[in-house]
Amino acid sequence: MSDHSHNDNASHTSHGGGHAPPDSFEVRVLRQDSPGQASYWERHRVKYEPEMNVISVLQQIAAHATDVDGKRVAPVVWDCNCLEEVCGACTMLINGRVRQSCSALVDNLLAEHPGEIELSPMSKFPVVRDLMVDRGRLFRALQKVEAWIPVDGYYDMGPGPRQSQSTQEQTYPLSECMSCGCCLDACPQYLKVELTREEGESEADFEARKRAAYDEGFIGAHAISQVVLFNMNPTGKMQAGERLDAMMEEGGLMVCGNAQNCVAVCPKRIPLTTSIARAGRATTVRMVQKWFGK
Amino acid sequence: MAKKRVMIVGGGLAGLAAAMKLAEVGIEVDLMSLTPVKRSHSVCAQGGINSCNDLTRQQGDTEWKHFDDTVYGGDFLQHQPPVKEMAYWGPKIIDLMDRLGVTFNRTPEGFLDRRRFGGTLYKRTAFAGATTGQQLLYALDEQVRRWETAGMIKKYEFWDFLGPIVDDQGICRGCVGQDLVSMEIRSFPADGVIVASGGAGLIYGRSTMSMACTGSAASRCYQAGVKYGNPEFIQVHPTAVPGADKLRLMSESARGEGGRVWVPRTPHDPRNPMSIPETERYYFLEERYPKYGNLVPRDIATREIFDICVNEGLSVDKDRQCVYLDLTHIERSELNRKLGGILEIYEKFQGVDPRDTPMKIFPAVHYFMGGLWCDYQKSADGGLVVGSPKNQVTNIPNLYAIGECDYQYHGGNRLGANSLLSCIFSGLIVAPGVEALLQNSQGAAADLPASLFAQAKKQHQERHNQLLKNAGGENPYLVHQELGEVMTKAATVVRRNAQLEAAYETVSALQERARNCSLSDTGSWTNQNVVFTKALQDMFPMAKAILRGAILRDECRGAHYKPDFGMPALASTDDAARHQEAQEWCDRFEVNNQKFLKSTIATYTPSGPEITYEDIDTSLIPPRPRLYGLVGAEVIEQVWKERQAAKDSKSGNGAGVGGAGKVAATP
């Protein structure tokens, strides 16, 4: 697989490939009422309108709340916010591919696959309900690798260090990561961790148990790339060693199997495999330094 | 005794800035948000953040001029001390964000690069590509995560704020929230509650705002007794890309980087825009406003685009209204470096590359200048007393408002790239005040009688249960669509009293219908249907305040444009007559200011808003006519200056800057 292959998010609208648009189309949704319950497919018929995206499809489904046979059903639950592909919330599997539903244009989807659109929740995170999943593990990974600049405080200390244009041009794309989780969903090494609260377990105990389980699993490409970002910052660099150490723990960088799916599905085209390679070199150096007691 | 805690509602720029600053001084914070805070609406801000800087300073810029541009752009409707303080903090805030690792664009020598935004002649705006809001939010999100890891901040993400808890003495003692996953309703005792919940774009159906911007948190405070300031002042952004689900913002930075707005001189010219020669293009902003060109303030750009399409019939398309925003004359590599993010959005959603083809844009509801009323403590030099618990406090003690949901900083119209500044500033300034509040208060809220909190929870649980049982037959999503249509038609760019009155009636009827919603989901697990219906019901009190405020304000000011009450351009060509006309213009301007240079204050009652007016502190910069592009502006300006000079010499007051102390006023 090529490092430069990426999804076709930016491909031009085909407007149904020159055919007349359909009056309506079918949407198959993989639903699940709550965690631990079985999932099931439900079919909806949606009226075609120009310039629809998957969000407007789901809005129509929510407003009508009847399935293809006219049976009353609860509205499909999904997560969204900005609707312009900068918040990362509305990520799901659309026709089997992980991406944001706001930037998934119906004309393009129907051109690829006439007559039907298939929606299912992300596959590597516990389903909360329907298309909504719990991505808490993703944010936990950012804690683990200390993805922040360790400033002394927030009083006025003058400007930050000067940085070259070329540094900014390398760091800016990495800092566009919106924690959507596409890279994790597509990664063969990133395995689902799903825990349920036990009887009598306190909320705090459950949270602690989840954190521990998350920390054993793979941190994923997004967190590795954030380490590279913060280790490039002149102030962030001062804690580069601690971040590299975190990546050398269980669930760290060595879990990566180099499948390179992450970079192929990243909606922001972040050079994730480049980050992984850089992090690999840096951890090797770090390890050697540690052997020699530096 | 229990430890004192602060609850922050909303995790955008303002909420996160307040959270990290409170954690720094050792105060534990609960942070409640509808979404994971990293997905807050601040990510949608594109263009940049303003401050006077080392370069503009040498071109004659000062913090005072930034302050002046902000109040002039806002048509003098702001209390001036908080705005002054904000302008003076500007450079320091950008330094702080730089230290926190924001990937600001750089000059070849490694300094922060700047661009020009509307309503100023200086390049004040620092930016990180065209995703500045996202980058600033992430820097604060990272700091908050750091404090969360250290145990100082506890996040309640996917929680809905149901309302403040106010005791018998009228003091806020915490709030009630609902877990959007388990639907559990819980009371949170808090020694200070800071609401930072953003704007309420969903009142207009589709806008440039995110889906979390329902305004429900602000509305719930308003219904609990917080005054609502300047509700009728809604910014309609000149350039957005129409879509079925949302109107996507096309940043002002597109014009800041040289983008030009035009329409073909021939209505609905069917030719490819690239093949239309220069002479057949109408660059109407440049022709009508030679000084500011494409960078006139937003309200003016919006009205001109609206006028070109609606009144002049020059829309690019026949079946929908839009004008061209053209970047095709700019080098591709430069566009990618400075505007890449927003150009990709356009390309992704419209399927057209704006580097090769002019974009089609039209105005959209974008920002609420009005919001929850809040106070401040003025310092001797006309700014704020840092550390005063009065800063940002609402009329309910211990309940604070910051960010877009407050009414404090932008008056009648917000300048581009000032909102990121006001959000971070209000978050940073509220923290030392709340710290002082906690130090001076006796006992912790958590030690108050449990009945206070149980009662508040019960009240919200009853509302929730009642909604699930309702069977009135109305569909909340369809009622919402209708609300959006009515509000967009009556209370955006051009406002007329008959239309506003009719809209008020329609909105009242819709409010009744919203009370009779039947839910399609009556379950008790992740029920988005009931959460939306609650938010919908809470949109009506605010919608009514917007409409009533607009009905009663018979003038044009900032974004509030009522052509039936406009100030005319000068008509005569003869010098003496023109001078006389300008005198009359200024008389009329003064009379109007006596009546309307006041904050609109809406107070909630179940039957509709009660509107009163509050005097504005304009002691630092005397109000003057806002004259961008008006015919005869030079003459009016001249006459106005003569009148001011005459007044000043009479009162013996040098520059008319009472309270400004050592700070010099600029003309």
Side-chain angles (χ1 to χ4, degrees), chain B residues 28-80:
Chain B
E28 290 184 28
V29 172
D30 292 316
L31 178 54
M32 181 182 286
S33 168
L34 286 168
T35 66
V37 294
K38 192 175 178 178
R39 311 201 193 287
S40 300
H41 177 60
S42 302
V43 292
C44 290
Q46 297 171 343
I49 176 166
N50 285 336
S51 79
C52 166
N53 55 75
D54 290 344
L55 194 146
T56 60
R57 216 181 279 287
Q58 294 170 67
Q59 299 167 331
D61 194 16
T62 57
E63 283 87 347
W64 183 272
K65 280 193 177 170
H66 181 193
F67 165 42
D68 185 272
D69 281 341
T70 305
V71 293
Y72 182 64
D75 229 343
F76 294 90
L77 202 65
Q78 309 101 311
H79 291 296
Q80 294 179 355

Side-chain angles (χ1 to χ4, degrees), chain A residues 9-10 12-13 33-35 50-53 55-56 59 62-65 72-89 102-103 105 128-129 132 135 139 142-143 147-165 168-169 171-172 175-180 203 226 229-230 233 235 267-269, chain B residues 20-21 24-25 35-36 38-41 43-44 46 92 95-96 98-101 103-111 128-131 134-135 138 142-143 145-149 154 158 181 186 208-213 242-249 320 337 341 344-345 347-353 475 477-478 519-521 525-529:
Chain A
N9 270 344
H12 289 190
T13 315
D33 295 343
S34 62
E51 299 187 343
M52 284 183 110
N53 56 4
I55 295 286
S56 52
Q59 285 174 339
H64 294 136
R72 297 284 294 167
V73 292
V76 174
V77 168
W78 87 100
D79 192 8
C80 70
N81 198 30
C82 78
L83 310 193
E84 51 193 63
E85 209 195 64
V86 284
C87 82
C102 63
S103 55
L105 307 185
V128 173
R129 185 174 171 187
M132 187 165 165
R135 280 174 279 184
F139 293 114
L142 297 179
Q143 289 188 314
W148 52 74
I149 304 291
V151 291
D152 291 345
Y154 311 122
Y155 291 90
D156 177 28
M157 307 297 284
R162 263 152 73 179
Q163 291 180 47
S164 69
Q165 279 187 337
Q168 193 270 347
E169 280 160 20
T171 53
Y172 176 73
S175 71
E176 278 191 295
C177 173
M178 54 187 180
S179 299
C180 65
E203 193 183 308
Q226 290 292 299
L229 166 64
F230 288 102
N233 177 283
T235 312
K268 295 290 145 188
R269 289 190 253 166
Chain B
M20 75 175 194
K21 191 71 194 165
E24 181 184 36
V25 297
T35 66
K38 192 175 178 178
R39 311 201 193 287
S40 300
H41 177 60
V43 292
C44 290
Q46 297 171 343
K92 294 182 258 183
D95 283 349
L96 172 61
D98 180 24
R99 283 173 50 224
L100 297 185
T103 54
F104 285 118
N105 277 50
R106 301 279 166 170
T107 66
E109 200 181 329
F111 294 107
T131 61
Q134 183 188 39
Q135 300 308 317
Y138 288 1
E142 287 147 17
Q143 294 302 316
R145 183 166 296 104
R146 183 182 173 201
W147 289 110
E148 184 191 16
T149 310
K154 172 122 176 79
F158 293 112
V181 173
R186 193 193 290 182
T208 66
M209 286 190 222
S210 297
M211 300 308 280
C213 303
D245 52 336
K246 144 163 222 199
L247 311 174
R248 292 180 178 86
L249 177 65
R320 70 165 173 187
R337 195 161 61 80
E344 269 169 35
I345 290 177
E347 199 173 346
K348 248 174 212 187
F349 288 91
Q350 299 304 111
V352 174
D353 186 346
N475 181 329
Y477 302 105
L478 302 183
L519 300 191
S520 45
D521 186 350
W525 182 261
T526 323
N527 184 337
Q528 295 180 329
N529 200 219

Side-chain angles (χ1 to χ4, degrees), chain A residues 32-96:
Chain A
Q32 183 177 328
D33 295 343
S34 62
Q37 288 194 289
S39 56
Y40 56 95
W41 288 99
E42 188 174 271
R43 288 155 56 224
H44 291 266
R45 178 127 308 259
V46 172
K47 189 170 146 264
Y48 177 87
E49 287 162 21
E51 299 187 343
M52 284 183 110
N53 56 4
V54 169
I55 295 286
S56 52
V57 167
L58 286 164
Q59 285 174 339
Q60 213 189 95
I61 290 176
H64 294 136
T66 46
D67 72 1
V68 74
D69 303 317
K71 193 180 86 183
R72 297 284 294 167
V73 292
V76 174
V77 168
W78 87 100
D79 192 8
C80 70
N81 198 30
C82 78
L83 310 193
E84 51 193 63
E85 209 195 64
V86 284
C87 82
C90 67
T91 312
M92 59 183 69
L93 300 181
I94 299 169
N95 287 347

Side-chain angles (χ1 to χ4, degrees), chain B residues 455-593:
Chain B
Q455 180 53 36
K457 178 187 158 174
K458 185 165 164 257
Q459 177 202 334
H460 288 286
Q461 189 71 55
E462 279 166 5
R463 180 185 181 196
H464 180 81
N465 297 350
Q466 186 53 44
L467 267 175
L468 294 179
K469 277 191 287 198
N470 256 5
E474 292 288 350
N475 181 329
Y477 302 105
L478 302 183
V479 174
H480 177 238
Q481 255 175 34
E482 289 185 44
L483 172 67
E485 281 160 20
V486 177
M487 293 298 291
T488 302
K489 214 166 159 191
T492 49
V493 185
V494 177
R495 298 162 173 199
R496 294 180 191 279
N497 279 341
Q499 261 186 355
L500 290 164
E501 290 283 6
Y504 193 92
E505 292 308 307
T506 312
V507 165
S508 301
L510 284 170
Q511 183 173 26
E512 281 310 308
R513 286 175 52 195
R515 291 196 178 111
N516 295 318
C517 283
S518 292
L519 300 191
S520 45
D521 186 350
T522 54
S524 55
W525 182 261
T526 323
N527 184 337
Q528 295 180 329
N529 200 219
V530 66
V531 173
F532 180 79
T533 305
K534 258 185 242 183
L536 171 70
Q537 291 182 339
D538 290 328
M539 288 178 200
F540 290 97
M542 279 169 84
K544 285 174 145 179
I546 292 168
L547 293 170
R548 187 55 70 201
I551 290 166
L552 295 176
R553 186 176 282 277
D554 282 335
E555 65 157 353
C556 295
R557 186 179 300 276
H560 174 71
Y561 179 65
K562 264 190 181 174
D564 297 343
F565 300 90
M567 297 282 285
L570 303 192
S572 50
T573 46
D574 168 69
D575 272 358
R578 211 168 163 82
H579 200 268
Q580 181 54 34
E581 225 183 315
Q583 285 288 1
E584 286 160 18
W585 195 100
C586 290
D587 289 343
R588 200 174 145 188
F589 175 79
E590 285 190 327
V591 170
N592 183 67
N593 267 357

Side-chain angles (χ1 to χ4, degrees), chain A residues 43 63 97 137 140 168 185 236:
Chain A
R43 288 155 56 224
R97 213 183 61 218
R137 176 177 167 197
R140 172 63 194 162
Q168 193 270 347
D185 214 71

